[in-house]
Amino acid sequence: MASSPLAAASAGDTYAPPNPGEPSLAGSVATGACRDDAAYISFDVVLTDGPAADQSAPVSLVLADGANSVTVPLGSLDEGRLQGRVLWPGASVDENGRGNGWPGWEERGGTWVPTDGGYAWTRGDITATLQANPSLAVPLHYPMSSPDCVTAPRGSAAAVAGELPATGSDPAMPLAIAGVGAAAVLAGAGLVVARRRRS
């Protein structure tokens, strides 16, 4: 008579269930965005393969530049996901939701002036890490100004030209290069005219 699988197992055998996958935030993102002249961080955080206890874990975003750091609470996961936006550190809005404060800027006597305070360093070359056990490094840069939405006081050079990240190029550089190129073209044209007159 054939024996059953259970009867065939020896008394010393133990059952080892398969290990679940490691929890991951892969695919989660954080991006700088401008809305009503205010700088925001938009985020979409997804936890995969995490235990049930972590499906509602708190989420934060840590910004750092090697010398400074700030932790921005984002909220808690809801069934393993969290989406939304928060003001960029140092940014503020008025009662209508329009930007009235920007990192690295201070109003003095009715005039906005640049300053090293107010999380000015977050507009430079920074690292960003989403933390929800586990953690994930994500690319993030301070949002640039545009004709429709500024991330610096209106009328300032940063608002007019837009700001590039610290690792980017100087916004004035293309104009300088263009000016040098134009001067070279004019100089070349003058040389051709002079040669024709001599001949």
Side-chain angles (χ1 to χ4, degrees):
M1 182 176 66
S3 60
S4 67
L6 291 178
S10 65
D13 289 342
T14 57
Y15 172 71
N19 293 326
E22 290 293 329
S24 170
L25 295 179
S28 301
V29 295
T31 57
C34 184
R35 181 185 177 95
D36 294 330
D37 291 354
Y40 285 89
I41 300 173
S42 297
F43 55 88
D44 186 356
V45 183
V46 181
L47 176 67
T48 57
D49 294 327
D54 289 342
Q55 297 297 313
S56 58
V59 183
S60 60
L61 179 68
V62 179
L63 308 182
D65 69 348
N68 307 279
S69 66
V70 59
T71 299
V72 183
L74 302 182
S76 296
L77 294 169
D78 183 6
E79 296 184 353
R81 189 161 193 179
L82 177 65
Q83 295 175 293
R85 70 172 184 269
V86 293
L87 281 168
W88 193 281
S92 62
V93 297
D94 61 19
E95 63 275 9
N96 297 316
R98 182 162 293 277
N100 64 358
W102 302 268
W105 290 90
E106 181 180 334
E107 189 175 18
R108 299 175 185 171
T111 301
W112 286 95
V113 295
T115 175
D116 291 334
Y119 298 102
W121 59 269
T122 63
R123 301 200 324 258
D125 188 11
I126 60 173
T127 61
T129 305
L130 289 167
Q131 292 188 335
N133 189 29
S135 62
L136 176 71
V138 293
L140 181 65
H141 297 290
Y142 188 72
M144 292 179 60
S145 294
S146 71
D148 299 323
C149 191
V150 298
T151 54
R154 284 194 174 271
S156 66
V160 173
E163 282 187 313
L164 291 175
T167 54
S169 59
D170 186 344
M173 187 62 70
L175 297 178
I177 294 175
V180 172
V185 171
L186 293 175
L191 181 60
V192 170
V193 171
R195 286 182 176 176
R196 286 180 179 176
R197 288 178 178 176
R198 290 176 182 174
S199 59

